[in-house]
Each structure stands twice: as C-alpha cells, then as structure tokens.
Amino acid sequence: MKAYNYLWKLLSMMLVFTLLTVEASFAQPTLRYYTILGVGLSSPRGLNSSLNDVSHTIVEGDSYLTYRLDEVSGPLIRFGVGVEGEFSPESSFGWDVGLYVRSSSFRMGAKVTSSNEAEVFSDAFFLPDFGGLTTFRYWAVELPLAINYRVFDWIGATAGIDLRYQISSNISNRGKLEKTVGYLNTVNYRHRFQAGANAGLYSPITNKLRVDVKYFSDVLPQLELQSVGARRDNWEFREMGFALNTRYYFRK
C-alpha cells in the first residue's frame, strides 16, 4: 500500500510538471515535435546484487545439491512521439514530454553448481527446471518527463522520470516465474504501474536528428524474492540498464 501511495504522489508531481511545461510553452516561439526510436539492454538488478547471486543448498542424508539462478540481460526497445521546448528563448534549460511504447525482457533459469548425488533430488517438486533459460517480456505505455540542459551547442545533459503502465499480462501468471526460480522462493512481481528515473547525455547530429545515451532504473523494486524455510533471505531487483535513443524532429 505504501508503494502505491508513493506512485500516486509521483504521478501527481508529474502532472504538475506537465502543467507547468504546458504553461511555459505559451511563451515559446516554437515547439519541436519529434518521433523516437530507442534500443538498449535491461536486467533486474539490486543495488549491489543480481539474480545470479540467488542460490540454495539442499541436503538429504549424505547427499547435497547447490544451485543458483542464471540470468541474462535482454533487449529493450521503445518508440513513440513527443514534444520539447525551452523555458525561455535565451535559456539553456528545456523540457521534454513524450508518449512511448516500451518493451523489455530478460532471460532466466537455474543451474546446478555442485552436487555429489544429483539423481537423489530428481523428483523434488520444489526445485526449478535446470539446463535452460526462459524469456520474460513485457509491453508498457510509457510517459517520460525530462529536463534538458544544453552545455554546448554539440552536447547536453538530460535527466527525468517516467511512469509506465504494463499492457501485457503479468509474467508471473500461470506459475511460469515461480517454476523458473524454484519453490524455495516466494515471488512478488510488480505488475501494471511502475515509476523510473533516468539520466544521460544527448548530442544533436543535424537540425532534425538527435541521439542520446541514458542510464535508467526503476524507483520501486520490480521483482522481489524471499527464501522459505529457516533461511529467510530477501532480494529486491529493479529493472536497470542503458538505452541509445534516436530522435527525429518533424521540423526545425
């Protein structure tokens, strides 16, 4: 409940920011409308950990088996339209509002790292399937808001926030996610609403082209794992990664 209250507060701030930028735009001699295409890599990560750090050891008599999760970053793609402007004709600061479609994915599985008699545990229902990676992908509508600062004519800095609403089904439906990580973990995947932050550099290539490189991260955890049994480890993972975006302006 606290997380959703935080998201609604953040959404309110974004709406206020949008109203301020719209009000400021009336003083603009021109607005610049654009379309954008971006690609990148994303992965669920903790502040100092990754899914690859999640491991378990099962002991039965003299037999033991240790396994860990195996995660690989997946491609990110976004495309959409937006509008940007400056706060005043002589200002180096500007604003940016858009509406994008975003798709992101990662691959995950589990593998045995050590065992003296793995066949003893072959029928254990609580273990994940070993030896393969499963792809998890979502689609979302993204509302980004950013502040741009023009350092020089050829380079600038940008930072902003975005709100996402997932339009695809929950990737944890039908137990696919739980089976992949194994039933020694309880799984909580944040579906539908998510907020993120980003920062990076941009460079105008021509009057109609701009490229930027951004680092991004979720504000709230996207995926939470908690081990069951006597060992009560907790992991929180946010979607993090890098994106390269190309922007085409419809006019000068």
Side-chain angles (χ1 to χ4, degrees), residues 39-78:
V39 294
L41 287 175
S42 67
S43 176
R45 299 193 61 85
L47 296 178
N48 57 358
S49 63
S50 70
L51 282 165
N52 295 326
D53 296 320
V54 179
S55 65
H56 293 282
T57 298
I58 302 98
V59 178
E60 185 174 319
D62 295 329
S63 303
Y64 72 92
L65 180 147
T66 299
Y67 75 91
R68 68 171 177 84
L69 298 186
D70 186 20
E71 185 268 335
V72 178
S73 300
L76 174 143
I77 184 171
R78 58 156 62 95

Side-chain angles (χ1 to χ4, degrees), residues 77 79 101-104 137-141 165-168:
I77 184 171
F79 55 90
V101 174
R102 170 177 175 150
S103 177
S104 184
R137 174 177 294 278
Y138 74 81
W139 290 85
V141 176
Y165 179 81
Q166 289 192 27
I167 55 178
S168 55

